[in-house]
Amino acid sequence: MIHVLHFFADLLVLFALYIFSLALEERELDCEHIKARLQATQSECLRSKEENLALLVQVTELREQSIQQVDYCTQMGSALCTLLWGVSNREETVKTILGMDKTAEFFSLAAQTVSSFVESLAANQDEDTEETHFVLGLAGTITNVAAVSCGRDFLMSSCRELMEKWIQLLGKIRSGSCNRLRVLILMSLYNVSIHREGLLWISQYMGLMSQLQLLLTDPDHEVCLHTLRLIQSLILEPDTLHMLWEDMQQCLPHITELSHKGSPEVQKMATELLEELRGSTVDS
């Protein structure tokens, strides 16, 4: 009986060892499978890293190319718009520009470009850049167009959105910055105000006088001078003077102050404007 028990015990041990060996083989197969998957995953990860690195290099190259293209386009735009500004001071050139099919589209794009430039301005940004010259060339060209009778007709009939954008930009540009651009905008509005319809339209534009009132306190004398010129033009006609009379009362303290300080031109213009207002007060 004891021999039989030993036999079964040995048999159980052998069976356990067999089961263990089978489990061990299965575990080794699992390990080999996992190892193979790990190697495949590592290879795929390495390949992905290499592909991502190649894409990063391409993106960097494309970004550099894009920056170069933007710089080139800005320089080209600056040169062309500066040239256009220069040649548009002749009436014959303005008539030629107005006779082209793309003129209204050009003015619309000009307004969008100048508006984007103003909105992207950073504090203490260097204003002597190609982008600035590009924008000044556009604004200067529009100012020259507005200096010609047919140009004023065109702006009032086809480009009122541009004039609206011009007035809005006066309120967006920070005091003391973009002085040359603000002067050109004021000059173009002054030129448009010579047009009877333009005078009435500008005089009725909501919020303009409050913006001009702020510009009278600007530290730049040229901005103050051209603001005074525009105001003088707006109140030249009795009907527009009557329309703007209450707003002018708010401007009077600033005009009076400018008549005693600032550049000689500013003082002279402010004094003339005060005299005209006093005469208008007597007449009323």
Side-chain angles (χ1 to χ4, degrees), residues 6-21:
H6 281 296
F7 174 76
F8 279 110
D10 293 339
L11 186 62
L12 287 173
V13 170
L14 290 173
F15 182 73
L17 290 173
Y18 175 72
I19 296 299
F20 178 76
S21 64

Side-chain angles (χ1 to χ4, degrees), residues 72-89 93 97 106-107 109-111 113-114 129-145 184:
Y72 173 80
C73 290
T74 301
Q75 292 175 4
M76 177 65 74
S78 173
L80 290 176
C81 288
T82 301
L83 290 172
L84 184 60
W85 182 9
V87 300
S88 63
N89 62 356
T93 304
I97 293 174
F106 169 77
F107 285 139
L109 291 172
T113 302
V114 177
T129 62
E130 291 293 346
E131 188 177 10
T132 302
H133 294 306
F134 185 179
V135 168
L136 291 177
L138 291 171
T141 301
I142 294 170
T143 301
N144 284 345
V145 169
L184 287 170

Side-chain angles (χ1 to χ4, degrees), residues 14-79:
L14 290 173
F15 182 73
L17 290 173
Y18 175 72
I19 296 299
F20 178 76
S21 64
L22 289 177
L24 185 62
E25 289 179 4
E26 185 178 357
R27 182 63 56 87
E28 288 178 352
L29 289 174
D30 290 342
C31 289
E32 290 296 328
H33 178 67
I34 293 173
K35 184 178 179 181
R37 288 181 60 186
L38 176 62
Q39 291 176 346
T41 303
Q42 288 176 335
S43 299
E44 184 178 352
C45 182
L46 180 60
R47 184 168 58 254
S48 297
K49 287 182 178 180
E50 291 175 349
E51 291 175 354
N52 290 339
L53 181 60
L55 289 174
L56 181 61
V57 171
Q58 292 180 12
V59 169
T60 302
E61 292 176 350
L62 289 173
R63 183 183 295 112
E64 291 177 353
Q65 292 176 6
S66 177
I67 292 174
Q68 292 175 357
Q69 290 175 355
V70 169
D71 290 341
Y72 173 80
C73 290
T74 301
Q75 292 175 4
M76 177 65 74
S78 173

Side-chain angles (χ1 to χ4, degrees), residues 21-281:
S21 64
L22 289 177
L24 185 62
E25 289 179 4
E26 185 178 357
R27 182 63 56 87
E28 288 178 352
L29 289 174
D30 290 342
C31 289
E32 290 296 328
H33 178 67
I34 293 173
K35 184 178 179 181
R37 288 181 60 186
L38 176 62
Q39 291 176 346
T41 303
Q42 288 176 335
S43 299
E44 184 178 352
C45 182
L46 180 60
R47 184 168 58 254
S48 297
K49 287 182 178 180
E50 291 175 349
E51 291 175 354
N52 290 339
L53 181 60
L55 289 174
L56 181 61
V57 171
Q58 292 180 12
V59 169
T60 302
E61 292 176 350
L62 289 173
R63 183 183 295 112
E64 291 177 353
Q65 292 176 6
S66 177
I67 292 174
Q68 292 175 357
Q69 290 175 355
V70 169
D71 290 341
Y72 173 80
C73 290
T74 301
Q75 292 175 4
M76 177 65 74
S78 173
L80 290 176
C81 288
T82 301
L83 290 172
L84 184 60
W85 182 9
V87 300
S88 63
N89 62 356
R90 299 178 57 190
E91 184 174 356
E92 295 79 6
T93 304
V94 172
K95 290 180 178 179
T96 301
I97 293 174
L98 297 180
M100 297 180 176
D101 295 335
K102 297 288 186 178
T103 303
E105 182 180 351
F106 169 77
F107 285 139
S108 177
L109 291 172
Q112 295 175 29
T113 302
V114 177
S115 180
S116 298
F117 171 79
V118 170
E119 292 174 357
S120 65
L121 279 176
N124 301 321
Q125 179 173 325
D126 182 14
E127 296 183 13
D128 189 20
T129 62
E130 291 293 346
E131 188 177 10
T132 302
H133 294 306
F134 185 179
V135 168
L136 291 177
L138 291 171
T141 301
I142 294 170
T143 301
N144 284 345
V145 169
V148 180
S149 177
C150 60
R152 293 189 286 272
D153 291 337
F154 183 85
L155 291 174
M156 278 294 94
S157 63
S158 305
C159 298
R160 292 199 180 188
E161 290 184 0
L162 169 62
M163 293 293 97
E164 289 181 1
K165 183 65 67 176
W166 251 213
I167 295 174
Q168 293 168 8
L169 289 177
L170 285 177
K172 291 182 179 180
I173 301 175
R174 297 186 307 275
S175 176
S177 66
C178 294
N179 297 328
R180 289 178 293 175
L181 176 59
R182 289 189 296 163
V183 166
L184 287 170
I185 292 176
L186 288 166
M187 290 174 64
S188 63
L189 291 174
Y190 170 84
N191 289 341
V192 170
S193 71
I194 299 174
H195 189 281
R196 174 63 182 174
E197 185 178 351
L199 173 64
L200 292 174
W201 181 83
I202 294 175
S203 301
Q204 295 171 353
Y205 193 89
M206 187 68 67
L208 173 63
M209 291 305 299
S210 61
Q211 293 182 20
L212 296 181
Q213 181 181 344
L214 290 175
L215 291 176
L216 290 174
T217 64
D218 196 84
D220 186 80
H221 291 165
E222 284 294 310
V223 171
C224 291
L225 175 63
H226 288 280
T227 302
L228 290 169
R229 289 187 65 210
L230 177 56
I231 292 174
Q232 184 183 45
S233 179
L234 292 178
I235 64 171
L236 189 62
E237 296 292 334
D239 51 350
T240 54
L241 174 60
H242 178 74
M243 187 186 310
L244 300 173
W245 183 252
E246 291 186 6
D247 293 316
M248 287 304 305
Q249 304 312 303
Q250 302 296 322
C251 295
L252 273 177
H254 302 302
I255 299 174
T256 302
E257 184 177 0
L258 289 175
S259 67
H260 300 296
K261 72 171 190 179
S263 67
E265 284 183 306
V266 170
Q267 292 185 36
K268 180 181 178 182
M269 178 62 67
T271 301
E272 291 179 359
L273 187 53
L274 287 173
E275 290 176 353
E276 292 177 9
L277 287 171
R278 290 193 190 99
S280 299
T281 303

